[in-house]
């Protein structure tokens, strides 16, 4: 029998977390900003292998020439630096002009890659073209053209899609042979005569074509390719350089659809290498786009694997998949497969995309058959976008995805805290880099007599790959009422 806590004579305990005013907000978007204070020398790191703090403006003010028994020559450029994070004594060699003077400093880890040069003009031209080819990001539109994409819906009168071609006229002519000429103009009772029906594929075509036009008009150097899939996978792109540029169509079919490594190899091969920016390839891609027709099954897994491999030539490239169906051909097929096997495949494919710096976004046309929980693993792993929407809203969705500029891949943020501070509530999710708190050292959380007298405690943030270094001494306030204000 159920008894309330009051009836049992027990007091109900309610746990409430106190307000915590010690909050640090880190804006990784600063990686996109141009470096304001680029250091002229190398970053001076603390030699304590468990620390890794970098010399900052606040350290440079306290450099010494003598510490205990260690004494340096005044004429030399060497100085004694006592790390404020771990108290390690470092002997560094640094010129006056290399001293950090701002709270935020940018360090250049390595110079920009330069194209290799040779004595032969032809080799030099080839080398420069190859280097330029890898400079621009790619956008791969991966489009489902299986039979289910022919499903149509009425387009509202206030909605307009820029459709091309005479497809409706062609379909009307094909159907007219089965219709008595006297019945051709008949309508059902109360049927509207001014309604336009568009298929799911037409909605995708209109949305992608608008993005192609937008990229061309902005003068973007983005390289774009189309990958379509039904029973097979087809790649449309422009390869070659200058007068040697060729419109390429690569068809992947048969047993290749069942071999993941083969699909990756094809995607990375010269046959699928996209060398021309959207300005040069726009007309070809647009024409190929509007010639697509729906038929067959859904080789989604092979198409996605090939697209990711193609985009992997340049970190920060994107793959945008538009589909309405269930993967049922080749690798990644969901039908008649166990959830464990399907999950393992898309987990591995997401890890591959992440390792190559490719962002995968998936647009699922409103349908219940896609099993997005499997595809979502790739989107989550690569920090892409996953949306299930009405086909008539595809244009806005594609625009929003491309507006989200990718400014860095494999970016990391390292925060160093003084031994008197520690992370709370996020201990399992954040690695505490304070050497004195590794392994939850109890002594680290103990306030010493020295700590009681401190007015401020240093906090340092290191962001990669640009390595903007931010060091800021945070004022210590022991009055909670004042701190919470």
């Amino acid at each position: 029998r159920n008894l309330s806590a009051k009836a049992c004579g027990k007091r109900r305990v309610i746990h409430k977390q106190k307000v915590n005013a010690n909050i640090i907000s880190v804006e990784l978007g600063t990686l996109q900003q141009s470096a304001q204070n680029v250091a002229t020398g190398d970053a001076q790191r603390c030699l304590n292998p468990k620390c890794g703090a970098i010399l900052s403006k606040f350290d440079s003010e306290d450099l010494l020439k003598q510490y205990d028994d260690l004494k340096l020559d005044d004429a030399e450029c060497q100085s004694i630096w006592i790390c404020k994070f771990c108290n390690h004594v470092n002997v560094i060699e640094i010129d006056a002009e290399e001293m950090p003077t701002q709270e935020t400093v940018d360090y250049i880890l390595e110079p920009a890659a330069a194209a290799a040069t040779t004595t032969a003009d032809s080799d030099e031209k080839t080398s420069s073209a190859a280097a330029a080819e890898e400079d621009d990001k790619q956008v791969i539109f991966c489009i489902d053209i299986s039979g289910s994409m022919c499903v149509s819906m009425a387009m509202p009168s206030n909605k307009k899609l820029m459709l091309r071609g005479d497809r409706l006229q062609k379909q009307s002519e094909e159907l007219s042979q089965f219709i008595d000429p006297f019945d051709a103009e008949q309508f059902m009772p109360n049927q509207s005569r001014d309604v336009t029906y568009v298929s799911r594929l037409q909605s995708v075509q209109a949305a992608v074509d608008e993005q192609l036009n937008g990229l061309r008009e902005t003068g973007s150097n983005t390289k774009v390719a189309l990958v379509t899939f039904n029973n097979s996978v087809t790649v449309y792109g422009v390869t070659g350089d200058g007068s040697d540029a060729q419109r390429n169509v690569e068809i992947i079919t048969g047993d290749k659809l069942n071999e993941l490594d083969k699909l990756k190899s094809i995607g990375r091969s010269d046959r699928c290498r996209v060398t021309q920016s959207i300005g040069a390839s726009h007309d070809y891609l647009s024409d190929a786009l509007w010639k697509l027709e729906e038929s067959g099954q859904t080789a989604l897994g092979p198409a996605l694997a090939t697209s990711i491999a193609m985009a992997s030539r340049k970190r920060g490239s994107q793959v945008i998949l538009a589909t309405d169906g269930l993967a049922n051909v080749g690798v990644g097929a969901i039908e008649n497969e166990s959830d464990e096997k399907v999950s393992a495949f898309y987990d591995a494919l997401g890890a591959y995309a992440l390792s190559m710096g490719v962002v995968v976004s998936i647009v699922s046309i409103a349908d219940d058959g896609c099993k997005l929980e499997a595809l979502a693993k790739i989107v989550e792993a690569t920090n892409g976008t996953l949306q299930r929407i009405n086909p008539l809203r595809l244009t806005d969705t594609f625009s929003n995805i491309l507006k989200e500029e990718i400014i860095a891949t494999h970016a990391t943020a390292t925060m160093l805290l003084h031994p008197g501070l520690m992370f709370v509530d996020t201990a399992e999710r954040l690695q505490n880099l304070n050497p004195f708190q590794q392994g939850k050292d109890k002594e680290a959380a103990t306030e010493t007599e020295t700590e009681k007298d401190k007015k401020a405690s240093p906090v340092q943030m290191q962001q990669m790959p640009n390595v903007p270094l931010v060091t800021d001494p945070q004022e210590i306030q022991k009055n909670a009422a004042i701190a919470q204000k």
Side-chain angles (χ1 to χ4, degrees), residues 115-134:
T117 57
T118 61
T119 55
D121 293 341
S122 60
D123 291 343
E124 184 173 351
K125 180 180 179 181
T126 302
S127 177
S128 299
E133 177 184 337
E134 302 301 331

Side-chain angles (χ1 to χ4, degrees), residues 399-427:
S399 299
N400 292 335
I401 292 175
L402 291 177
K403 283 180 181 178
E404 296 181 0
E405 183 182 0
I406 301 168
I407 59 176
T409 61
H410 292 73
T412 61
T414 302
M415 177 171 287
L416 282 76
L417 297 180
H418 187 271
L421 301 175
M422 65 182 299
F423 287 111
V424 294
D425 298 332
T426 55

Side-chain angles (χ1 to χ4, degrees), residues 155-156 158-166 168 196 198-199 201-213 217 286 289-290 391-392 394-395:
M155 186 168 61
N158 61 346
K159 183 73 176 180
K160 292 185 179 181
L161 289 180
M162 300 299 294
L163 303 178
R164 279 177 50 186
D166 57 353
L168 293 178
T196 301
V198 294
S199 69
L201 178 57
Q202 286 178 305
S203 299
V204 173
Q205 289 170 319
V208 173
D209 196 42
E210 184 166 324
Q211 305 316 307
L212 296 180
N213 293 334
E217 291 171 0
S286 183
L289 175 68
W290 286 106
L392 299 179
L394 281 174
T395 299

Side-chain angles (χ1 to χ4, degrees), residues 177 212 289 356 387 398 401 455:
Q177 59 182 313
L212 296 180
L289 175 68
M356 305 305 290
Q387 296 188 37
F398 278 116
I401 292 175
K455 300 296 183 182

Side-chain angles (χ1 to χ4, degrees), residues 200 203-204 207 363 365 389-398:
R200 292 173 176 176
S203 299
V204 173
V363 179
I365 298 173
I389 61 170
N390 184 297
L392 299 179
R393 296 176 52 201
L394 281 174
T395 299
D396 295 337
T397 301
F398 278 116

Side-chain angles (χ1 to χ4, degrees), residues 52-249:
I54 296 178
L55 182 75
S56 70
K57 164 190 174 182
F58 306 101
D59 295 305
S60 61
E61 299 171 354
D62 299 324
L63 297 182
L64 306 173
K65 286 294 183 179
Q66 181 176 355
Y67 181 74
D68 289 344
D69 297 334
L70 180 61
K71 185 175 182 181
L72 303 178
D73 190 342
D74 293 338
E76 295 181 355
C77 294
Q78 290 184 327
S79 298
I80 299 173
W81 165 36
I82 302 176
C83 178
K84 287 182 169 58
F85 293 92
C86 66
N87 293 325
H88 184 78
V89 179
N90 302 273
V91 177
I92 61 174
E93 187 171 339
I94 185 171
D95 296 328
E97 58 270 17
E98 296 179 352
M99 291 285 189
T101 59
Q102 302 292 331
E103 292 183 3
T104 302
V105 181
D106 287 84
Y107 289 95
I108 300 176
L109 293 185
E110 59 185 24
T117 57
T118 61
T119 55
D121 293 341
S122 60
D123 291 343
E124 184 173 351
K125 180 180 179 181
T126 302
S127 177
S128 299
E133 177 184 337
E134 302 301 331
D135 286 343
D136 303 320
K137 297 177 182 178
Q138 300 185 54
V139 174
I140 312 297
F141 290 103
C142 190
I143 302 173
D144 185 351
I145 58 170
S146 61
S148 59
M149 290 292 285
C150 71
V151 175
S152 62
M153 62 185 303
M155 186 168 61
S157 57
N158 61 346
K159 183 73 176 180
K160 292 185 179 181
L161 289 180
M162 300 299 294
L163 303 178
R164 279 177 50 186
D166 57 353
R167 179 173 177 177
L168 293 178
Q169 180 63 30
K170 180 182 177 181
Q171 291 176 347
S172 177
E173 293 175 355
E174 291 176 349
L175 292 173
S176 63
Q177 59 182 313
F178 305 104
I179 301 176
D180 189 303
F182 295 101
D183 298 332
E185 297 299 324
Q186 289 187 0
F187 289 86
M188 296 292 293
N190 301 321
Q191 179 181 352
S192 300
R193 302 191 180 193
D194 58 348
V195 176
T196 301
Y197 287 85
V198 294
S199 69
R200 292 173 176 176
L201 178 57
Q202 286 178 305
S203 299
V204 173
Q205 289 170 319
V208 173
D209 196 42
E210 184 166 324
Q211 305 316 307
L212 296 180
N213 293 334
L215 289 172
R216 181 182 62 173
E217 291 171 0
T218 58
S220 172
N221 290 325
T222 303
K223 297 180 176 69
V224 180
L226 299 179
V227 176
T228 65
F229 59 94
N230 48 13
N231 292 329
S232 59
V233 176
T234 305
V235 178
Y236 299 87
V238 179
T239 62
D241 183 58
S243 59
D244 297 329
Q246 297 180 355
R247 297 179 174 183
N248 184 54
V249 177

